[in-house]
Structure formats: C-alpha cells, structure tokens
Amino acid sequence: MDRWKNPTIAVIGLGYVGLPLAAALARDFDVLGFDIDATRIRELNAGHDRTNELTPDALNASKARLTDDLGALQGHDIFIVTVPTPVSEDNEPDLTAVRKAAETVGTAIGKGGIAVFESTVYPGVTEDVCGPVIEAASGLKSGTDFFLGYSPERINPGDKVHTVDKITKVVAGQTPEVAATLARIYGSMNGNRIHIAPDIKTAEASKVIENAQRDINIAFVNEIALIFERMGLSVYDVLDAARTKWNFLDFKPGLVGGHCIGVDPYYLSHAAQQMGYDPDVILSGRRINDAMGAVLAERIHKSLGIDAAKILVLGITFKENVPDIRNSKVIDVIRALELFGHSVSIYDPLADVAETKHEYGVDLIDSPANGYHAVVGAVPHAVFDELKVSELLVPGGLVADIKGIWRGMDLGDGVRRWSL
C-alpha cells in the first residue's frame, strides 16, 4: 500500500522498550511516542528519563514527539505496542495492559493500518486476543481492513552495548507484504539485521523461549550452588574452574526477577497447560528460582546466629546498575528476614524512593549508618564497590555476599562471611 512507503508511526508505551525504539525509528520516520503516564511525558519532554536508557542529550536530540494525548494517535499508519505483560499473584498471564493498548489502537487505526506488538506473550495472543479487541474498538476487520504484526522486544535494561539499533530484530506479519514492510522499517534503524519469521505465532514463540531458556539455566546453577554449599564448596570457585571449558554455559547463581526472565516462563507454561501438556522442566526451574529469596534469607539467618539483628540490605532493583524495581526478588529476602524477627534497612541509590514505597511498601534509607549485625550484598551495583563494608558492621558482624561482590576482598579481621 502507498501509505506503507513512508509511514507515520506511533509507539504506545514509553518505558525501557518503547522510548529507545521511538528515538531510533525517529531518525528515519515521523514518530509519535505515546504513554498514559502524564508525569512520565513531562519528565521526558524536560530531558529526564528515569529508566536511564536515554541520556538528556539523546532525549533532546530525538525527533520523536512525545505525548499523553489520545487524540494525537489519530491518522497514524503503524502502531507499535510496547506495554508490559506481567503475571498475576497466581503466576497467570496478565494481559490487562496489552488489551487496553489494543483497544487504544482500535480507537485510532484506520483502513490499511498496521498494529505491531512487541510485548512478550504466548503464541496466539496477537491474533486471537489483540486482533479481536482492535476489531471491536475500530469496527474494522483484521487481515482485510487493518493488519497485525509482531516483533519481540529484546531490550536488556542497562545494557549499553546491545541496544535496539544494534541487535537483530525478529519480525512477522499477517501477510508477506506486512512482514516485508516491518522488515524495512525496523531494518532502517539497525543496519537491516532482520529475521523474518514465517508467521506471527512463530515470532511470539521465539521470544518466550529466549527468557525461559535463561531461567532454566539459572535455576540449574542455583540448585548446584545449594548442593555445593552443603559440601562446603563455593559455587563461584567451581564455576571459575568449569568456565575454562570452551562450551561451558556461563550462568551465575542468584535472584531471578525483573519483567522478563522471572515472568515469561509462566506465559509459556500457561500456553502448554492450555494444550494439555505439563511443562515439567519450565515449572521446575521457576520453582527453584522463585524459592531462592526465602532460601537465602534462611541461610543468612542461620549464619547470623542471633535473633532481632540489625541488617543492611544493599540493592532493591532487579539487577545491577539499573533503576528498575519491577518484580525484584530482593523483596523476598527482605520479607523473609523480617519474618525471622530481624530489623532490615535498605539502601539503593539507583531506585526511586516513592516508586519503591508504592510497589513494595518499604522505605529506602538515604545512606548507610553503622552498627549493623549483617550487611547483605543483594545487587552488585557499581556504586557499592567503594563501600567500606567492614566499617558498617559491629565487631564480629556478618557479610552476606549473595552475588560475590566482595569475593576475594580482604574485609579485615573479625568480619564473618557467608556466600553461596
């Protein structure tokens, strides 16, 4: 279609995924970035990205127009949806955001428009869930009046190497022409590093297994860490030796949270169970990783050897050097330690104080004091490298080094250590 030759693009959802995508596409296309969070839009238009994916200079240089005005979506040719797809408290897929985004697209899309979804889902959601929602809101027919596409997001928060304009993008379309159009559009920003999947369901499936695979591998390392602990071995020493083999997969133990790895396997397992198949390996990996917070807290409690200890936890984000607190499993450690009767303070200069309070009901301290019975290294932020941990502890205090932050470092006399 003529309108696909030089299309106007609307990116819906301006978080870790949508904002960098909108900025990258705006180098070659007329791009509108939309988000329902008016505060987020004000911050971005003032040059501040709280996710730290774009610098103020990059934001100010971007040609993308950013708005929370629904009316501004009217008349665009291509709509790219990048909203989150979390799970419920029962670990069931929560498609609320993606359904609402599809409805928003339906109110704005016209004949010949393309709706592309980047949100991680199980195979079939784009065509069987999102398509009908758009039809109901627009009065148009999917595959005839408007068309669907899928291009799974592969953003790794905080990763300044594998950015959206440097990675291979998978694309799929409802028709070969749609797929070719998406390949051209996404290819314009990443040097044509494009893989065209044969259909939308295949593209959806490719994304959901990427993170499920990582989850399973981390679960294996977490399990062997607990086994080796009982043998009096450091899993980090074992991994140092094992990774000298050329084809050893280098995964590390720890907490598995965030909006992808800790969530996506449940989308795949849900789809499998709907088909009458019990995904033993996937769910076994999830059980191991979901239990790690409580297991680590129990090990720390036993190593302390006292009740009602004063404990400092370093880090609340789901991974190092990012401000993202979504689905952070550090909170599991904190709550379990509190159940043991300990008093826990949390220090994380990267996390937003208000967001952390809203999400988890806990307060962050401005800076560490001293007199702690234990310091727990939960997230290896670079800013923690310079902390003089031993000075924060009472004599005989414990350093619980979950991520090997201070491995091999001389912490001084009288400091006890616990690590996987």
Side-chain angles (χ1 to χ4, degrees):
M1 292 187 179
D2 289 341
R3 66 183 297 185
W4 296 351
K5 290 181 180 179
N6 188 29
T8 56
I9 300 171
V11 176
I12 298 175
L14 297 177
Y16 284 85
V17 176
L19 180 64
L21 177 66
L25 289 174
R27 297 168 193 160
D28 296 288
F29 298 98
D30 180 346
V31 174
L32 176 75
F34 171 83
D35 200 287
I36 60 173
D37 186 345
T39 301
R40 172 75 167 152
I41 296 299
R42 284 196 298 271
E43 289 176 353
L44 293 175
N45 283 327
H48 172 62
D49 172 23
R50 71 178 79 144
T51 69
N52 292 334
E53 290 299 314
L54 292 187
T55 65
D57 287 345
L59 262 179
N60 292 329
S62 173
K63 295 179 181 178
R65 295 167 290 115
L66 310 179
T67 185
D68 63 337
D69 177 14
L70 276 169
L73 294 171
Q74 296 291 328
H76 285 80
D77 303 313
I78 296 178
F79 300 83
I80 303 177
V81 174
T82 64
V83 298
T85 43
V87 292
S88 68
E89 291 185 1
D90 297 325
N91 292 321
E92 290 294 319
D94 181 356
L95 298 174
T96 302
V98 80
R99 286 177 181 273
K100 288 183 177 178
E103 186 174 358
T104 295
V105 170
T107 64
I109 199 168
K111 285 192 174 183
I114 301 175
V116 187
F117 291 82
E118 291 212 0
S119 307
T120 304
V121 293
Y122 54 83
V125 168
T126 298
E127 292 163 294
D128 301 337
V129 176
C130 299
V133 171
I134 296 173
E135 286 181 329
S138 66
L140 302 175
K141 181 68 175 175
S142 175
T144 303
D145 298 323
F146 71 89
F147 301 90
L148 298 170
Y150 188 77
S151 181
E153 62 90 0
R154 284 175 163 172
I155 288 293
N156 182 23
D159 189 336
K160 303 306 181 185
V161 176
H162 303 97
T163 53
V164 69
D165 55 345
K166 294 184 176 66
I167 59 172
T168 297
K169 284 287 284 178
V170 174
V171 300
Q174 206 167 14
T175 68
E177 293 77 17
V178 171
T181 297
L182 298 182
R184 177 176 60 83
I185 290 169
Y186 280 107
S188 70
M189 72 173 183
N190 75 347
N192 291 312
R193 288 183 286 270
I194 300 293
H195 175 87
I196 301 179
D199 51 55
I200 288 175
K201 287 183 180 179
T202 298
E204 291 169 324
S206 73
K207 169 56 182 175
V208 79
I209 70 164
E210 290 173 13
N211 287 326
Q213 181 188 65
R214 287 185 59 79
D215 191 47
I216 292 165
N217 278 288
I218 297 170
F220 169 72
V221 177
N222 275 336
E223 188 165 61
I224 63 169
L226 299 178
I227 293 170
F228 292 149
E229 184 198 25
R230 286 163 171 76
M231 297 178 177
L233 298 173
S234 164
V235 69
Y236 292 108
D237 290 343
V238 174
L239 292 172
D240 282 347
R243 71 169 59 94
T244 61
K245 188 181 180 189
W246 63 90
N247 61 351
F248 182 77
L249 302 179
D250 190 14
F251 289 87
K252 297 176 177 62
L255 301 166
V256 184
H259 58 98
C260 287
I261 299 177
V263 170
D264 296 353
Y266 286 121
Y267 276 74
L268 183 55
S269 63
H270 171 84
Q273 290 165 334
Q274 294 293 104
M275 302 291 291
Y277 182 83
D278 189 19
D280 292 335
V281 173
I282 295 169
L283 289 178
S284 177
R286 274 287 78 223
R287 282 191 293 270
I288 291 170
N289 288 338
D290 274 348
M292 281 302 289
V295 169
L296 294 171
E298 185 265 343
R299 297 296 197 276
I300 295 167
H301 171 68
K302 283 189 174 181
S303 297
L304 269 168
I306 60 173
D307 296 324
K310 182 181 176 183
I311 298 175
L312 173 67
V313 170
L314 297 176
I316 188 66
T317 64
F318 88 90
K319 64 176 287 189
E320 64 273 16
N321 302 321
V322 300
D324 194 349
I325 65 167
R326 288 177 295 172
N327 194 34
S328 172
K329 295 303 178 181
V330 179
I331 194 65
D332 293 351
V333 179
I334 294 166
R335 286 172 177 158
L337 288 172
E338 289 175 337
L339 284 175
F340 281 119
H342 303 300
S343 173
V344 181
S345 298
I346 310 157
Y347 175 58
D348 192 327
L350 274 69
D352 183 84
V353 174
E355 186 180 2
T356 303
K357 180 70 171 180
H358 177 267
E359 187 72 17
Y360 300 117
V362 298
D363 295 305
L364 301 179
I365 61 174
D366 293 331
S367 61
N370 51 35
Y372 298 104
H373 296 99
V375 173
V376 179
V379 185
H381 290 320
V383 294
F384 295 152
D385 291 346
E386 303 303 318
L387 272 181
K388 296 180 179 179
V389 183
S390 58
E391 296 181 3
L392 303 175
L393 293 165
V394 300
L398 175 73
V399 170
D401 195 359
I402 292 175
K403 295 296 292 184
I405 301 173
W406 304 286
R407 184 170 170 246
M409 183 182 296
D410 182 7
L411 298 177
D413 297 334
V415 175
R416 296 183 295 135
R417 292 177 185 258
W418 175 85
S419 184
L420 287 172

